[in-house]
Every structure is written in C-alpha cells, then in structure tokens.
Amino acid sequence: MTDLSKLSPKQWAQKQRENLGMDLAFEWDDRAMSTLLASMPQGQRHEAEKTWRTRIGSPLSDIHEEQMMQYLASLVIPRKLVDDFSILAEQFILMPTNEINAYAGTIPRGDRIVVIHEALTHVVAIFSHWLLFAQEQASKGKSVPPEMNKEMERYFLAVWFSDSHFQNRPQAFPRTEEFWELSEFLSYSVMRFILAHEIGHIFHNHKGYTASHDHNHRMEYDADDFAFRCCVWTSVVGGVTLDDNYFSLYSLLGPFFGLAIISLLGNEDSSTHPSCQRRMAHLLSKFDDILEEATLEVGTGKFIEWLGSDFKKVIENLTAQSMAVFAQLRPGISREIAKRSSSNVWLTDGLLEWRQS
C-alpha cells in the first residue's frame, strides 16, 4: 500500500487519478474533432486541429499539466507580494473530475496545493464564449435567443451532474475572429482570477473555515484582494507588452465575470462566503488604488488614459448584463440541484484541509 505521506504533489495527484480511474490516454474521434472545430472561426481551425491531434494518445495528466502551465504563465504576481513567498509549478493540479470548483489544501506530506477541477474550465470557457457571442449579436442589432440561454442552463446542470451528454455544448460561440479572441482572453482572465484567489489563501496562510462567518468572509475578501491585484497587474503589463487595450479590458473583466458565473449556484451570503454581488462591489472599491499602483510600477500612464472615467461603468454594465441573464437561470438550476443528488464523490478525501473557491 502506498504511503501518501511520502508523495510529492505531482505523485499525489497521479495517485488520485489512478484511484478515480482517470489515468487514461487522451482519445478523440474525428466526429468529436469536427464538432469542436466547427465552433471556431475559420482562421482558428488549422492551428487548433494541429494542436489537438498531437495530443491524441498522450496521458490526460500531461495535457492537464500543459493547460495549467499556460494559465500560470499568463499570470503576473506583483513583486512586492512575492519577496518572501514562493509557490512551485508542481503545486498546481488540474484534475479530470466533473466538479465546478477549485480548492487550496494540504496533502498528507504537508505541501500546500491548488486543485482545479476540469469541469470548472469547461464552464468558464463556454460562458466566456456565450458573453462574447451576445456582444457580437448586439453589434449587429440582435440579441441572444431565449432558447440559447436555456441551453446554457441545461449544459451547466449536465456538467454538475456528470451527465454523459454534457459534451453536447450549446453553440453560443462568437463567429468572427475578433470576438472569438476576446472570448479566449476573457476565459483565461477568469481562470487567472480563480488560480490567484487560491494562491491568495496559501499566501495568507489560511488553514480552514471557522464557526465565525465574519472571519470566513474576511478570508475570502483577502484572497479576492490578492487575486484582483494579480489580475490588474497582468492586464496592465499585457496591455503595454501587446499594445492591446482590449486584451487589458477583457482581462480586467475576468474577476467580475468569474464571480457572475459562480452566482449561478447562489448569490446570497453563506457561512463561508460573502455573496458574489458583495464580492464584486468589494473589488470595485479597490480598483483605483490597485490600478495606480500597477501603472506606476510598470511606468506608463497610457493604460489609465485609455480607460478614462468610464471604465467602471463598462465593467459594471457588462457584469450587470450577465447577472441579469444568470438571475433568470439560477432558479431552474437551484430547483434541479435540490431535486437531484449527484452520485459522484468529489475529490476531497485526499486533502487534509480543503476549501471552496
């Protein structure tokens, strides 16, 4: 029997995959490949097909590790935060499980780790595409058909309950290169915020929830502050490096849109978390100071000049549009979750301490 207390984070994760029967090679038939490629603008298809075909037959763990490294590589952690703090790449684990969640925890050897469940990445991607599809439609004077939003609700529930048809994704994809690329920016920004939020729990040495709601909420605000600071810095540095203000705008939207997605599971205070609405308001209250700090450090006023005084209104409007639709979807999702029970056992048994993002 394996002594889990001797395993490194990477070895521990592989053991969990084996226990769950998920240490498989990646396989994809031509039909699945065609379905994926058909959702992309024409100009994106060749490179995407080449990338995915090279992955066929590779261990899923290798693909997940590659995906996690892409998220981490795009995240800027301000130097002033990391002078006395370090976290290794192997402490980040993407698990092939159908939970819409992320955790910071401790494995038996004592290492702090961040676990992202694969289903979370699916949901973030599809809703990011949906938002930019809605904006693309609006640019043409059209709106998203109500039945499309219902399809998004059904997809969310299919992922939540691990229904086999959850791979049948709604066709809420931008059709043009510009809106597709912005949806990819947004998806990466949401995942950066989630990752940085969990890193924030480790940075602040949070070890678990208590009976005090105020204490628990303070921990979540602290982790949000750390994550938001990282996202603002990433956006400012990216905007300067790429000379792309739209990259920066949608990168900055990520934290708010991520919280909007989480609101599908409820938008009220809980014993562990403030409501998503309160967390968004908290981030907005911090924005001016963090943006000034980042731009002064990077040495450019160009980004602030471009944002102008309407930035918060742009973020608030885009977030409000999403929240309005999600408020319509939430009752159906809540009813179905309350009515059905999932047979899945989520990956918590291997963590000595765990926390919900």
Side-chain angles (χ1 to χ4, degrees), residues 313-340:
K313 188 59 67 178
V314 172
I315 291 292
E316 287 171 342
N317 286 344
L318 290 171
T319 305
Q321 291 169 24
S322 306
M323 292 291 281
V325 174
F326 292 171
Q328 297 171 26
L329 304 185
R330 197 179 302 125
I333 289 173
S334 298
R335 280 195 306 271
E336 195 65 22
I337 288 177
K339 188 169 65 176
R340 295 172 58 184

Side-chain angles (χ1 to χ4, degrees), residues 1-24 61 65 93-97 107-109 113 347 349-351:
M1 185 173 177
T2 304
D3 183 354
L4 297 180
S5 67
K6 303 292 187 184
L7 300 183
S8 68
K10 193 168 183 178
Q11 292 168 331
W12 176 87
Q14 186 56 32
K15 188 64 180 176
Q16 298 306 311
R17 293 186 182 103
E18 291 171 6
N19 292 343
L20 293 166
M22 295 175 174
D23 56 331
L24 307 173
S61 57
E65 192 169 314
I93 298 162
L94 182 62
M95 295 298 292
T97 41
I107 63 171
R109 196 177 77 167
I113 62 168
L347 183 68
D349 292 342
L351 296 175

Side-chain angles (χ1 to χ4, degrees), residues 340-352:
R340 295 172 58 184
S341 62
S342 174
S343 61
N344 283 319
V345 177
W346 301 137
L347 183 68
T348 57
D349 292 342
L351 296 175
L352 298 183

Side-chain angles (χ1 to χ4, degrees), residues 189-216:
S189 178
V190 172
M191 290 307 303
R192 278 195 293 268
F193 178 71
I194 292 169
L195 271 174
H197 176 96
E198 301 306 335
I199 296 171
H201 282 308
I202 295 175
F203 175 79
H204 288 291
N205 201 30
H206 294 157
K207 292 296 181 68
Y209 296 117
T210 70
S212 168
H213 294 194
D214 288 343
H215 174 79
N216 296 338

Side-chain angles (χ1 to χ4, degrees), residues 91-148:
Q91 292 174 255
F92 295 88
I93 298 162
L94 182 62
M95 295 298 292
T97 41
N98 290 338
E99 186 175 0
I100 305 171
N101 220 330
Y103 306 100
T106 307
I107 63 171
R109 196 177 77 167
D111 305 75
R112 300 302 300 273
I113 62 168
V114 171
V115 175
I116 304 291
H117 293 277
E118 185 180 26
L120 176 63
T121 69
H122 294 317
V123 168
V124 166
I126 194 69
F127 276 97
S128 296
H129 289 313
W130 164 85
L131 180 64
L132 269 298
F133 172 72
Q135 290 185 255
E136 185 180 58
Q137 293 295 99
S139 72
K140 302 174 183 177
K142 300 178 181 180
S143 59
V144 176
E147 58 270 21
M148 177 72 76

